[in-house]
Amino acid sequence: MGGLRLDQALARLFPQYSRSRLQVWLKSGRVRVDGAAGLGKRPVTGGERVDLAPPPVPDAVPARAQRMALKIVYEDGDLIVIDKPAGLVVHPGAGIPDRTLLNALLAHTPSQAVVPRAGIVHRLDKDTSGLLVVAKNIEAQAKLAAQLASRSMTRTYLAVVQGDPPASGTIDAPVGRDAHVRTRMAVSGRGKAARTGYRVLERFRHAALVECRLDTGRTHQIRVHFQHIRHPLVGDPVYRRGMRLVVVFPRQALHACELSLVHPRTGKQMTWRSPLPPDLQRLLESLRAEH
């Protein structure tokens, strides 16, 4: 590795950690080279001794393992693909201390406790159903996170939106925290770049079924973007401004129907698909009957 910058060499030495995490540890003095504080941009010559001291896991109270039914569509020694039902929260948070996917994962595979966030790589909103991937070890988590960052992991969604949107398009609008309501997201010039491609699959009297593909993965991205073009998701309790709401549904009509990624160990491209859950199937049947 002689000639590489220290931060580049660290990424090779410690592939179980993400580059961003290693950068933070470099800046906080947790990396020492031959006993001296490491400098990320300084090149290495080869042969140095590198000491890395990761910080302790910050969770003051470890999450509890709780047995819960999980719909597992694939599992091996490196990852689990789960078909999440609507209503299940992915990670404990304010007001939701347990009975989450994370708690269920700790019961299903106790060794998940040594992986940050129990191996959760990406999230789905509580009332969004569908596929998500969980890493079973730190190495797999880092590689899957890198695929998310490079956009080589593809996630496809089905959504029912209000009104009559254009046949296809790309919604390219930055998404960030709402300046007035901190629990919401919004299209904002202060936000991060966000792109959602979509195409209409079926039209109804007052709504349309659309297929969405994420180029980025901002919080609430699909929901915010379709409100932005004045076609909010049917049933969305938060992002529903833009037009008169004619179709009623008890949750946002959004389902993660396809997930495609490169297996972190084998390098093989893998794809999983999830059919629409019964409540969304009934919604489409009722819309077709009206049409």
Side-chain angles (χ1 to χ4, degrees), residues 14 31 60 193 205 273:
F14 302 104
V31 178
R205 186 176 179 185
R273 295 177 180 85

Side-chain angles (χ1 to χ4, degrees), residues 10 133 138 166 176 183 191 245 279:
L10 287 175
V133 63
I138 293 174
T183 56
L245 305 181
D279 63 342

Side-chain angles (χ1 to χ4, degrees), residues 24-202:
V24 170
W25 292 345
L26 259 174
K27 292 175 182 177
S28 60
R30 293 188 171 275
V31 178
R32 303 191 74 80
V33 181
D34 285 339
L39 299 175
K41 294 183 179 180
R42 180 173 293 177
V44 299
T45 58
E48 297 97 325
R49 174 187 173 86
V50 177
D51 291 288
L52 171 64
V57 176
D59 295 331
V61 180
R64 291 191 299 149
Q66 294 174 307
R67 292 221 164 266
M68 298 165 57
L70 290 175
K71 185 176 180 181
I72 295 173
V73 298
Y74 178 84
E75 181 174 10
D76 62 21
D78 295 290
L79 54 84
I80 310 172
V81 178
I82 293 167
D83 196 342
K84 187 188 85 70
L88 177 63
V89 175
V90 171
H91 193 281
I96 307 173
D98 57 12
R99 305 301 296 175
T100 69
L101 174 62
L102 184 145
N103 301 103
L105 287 169
L106 293 175
H108 176 71
T109 309
S111 59
Q112 296 291 129
V114 301
V115 187
R117 300 180 303 282
I120 293 168
V121 178
H122 62 112
R123 302 185 188 186
L124 294 176
D125 297 338
K126 174 186 175 183
D127 287 326
T128 298
S129 55
L131 298 170
L132 55 79
V133 63
V134 174
K136 294 181 74 173
N137 52 65
I138 293 174
E139 292 84 354
Q141 189 179 44
K143 290 180 179 179
L144 291 171
Q147 290 185 49
L148 270 178
S150 67
R151 304 174 188 174
S152 58
M153 182 187 296
T154 59
R155 293 165 291 160
T156 305
Y157 294 74
L158 292 174
V160 184
V161 304
Q162 303 274 1
D164 189 22
S168 63
T170 298
I171 307 169
D172 190 345
V175 172
R177 191 69 58 183
D178 190 304
H180 304 290
V181 185
R182 301 301 293 170
T183 56
R184 292 167 50 108
M185 307 302 287
V187 168
S188 166
R190 299 184 300 275
K192 295 181 179 179
R195 286 168 55 89
T196 304
Y198 76 92
R199 64 188 181 105
V200 174
L201 300 181
E202 190 173 356

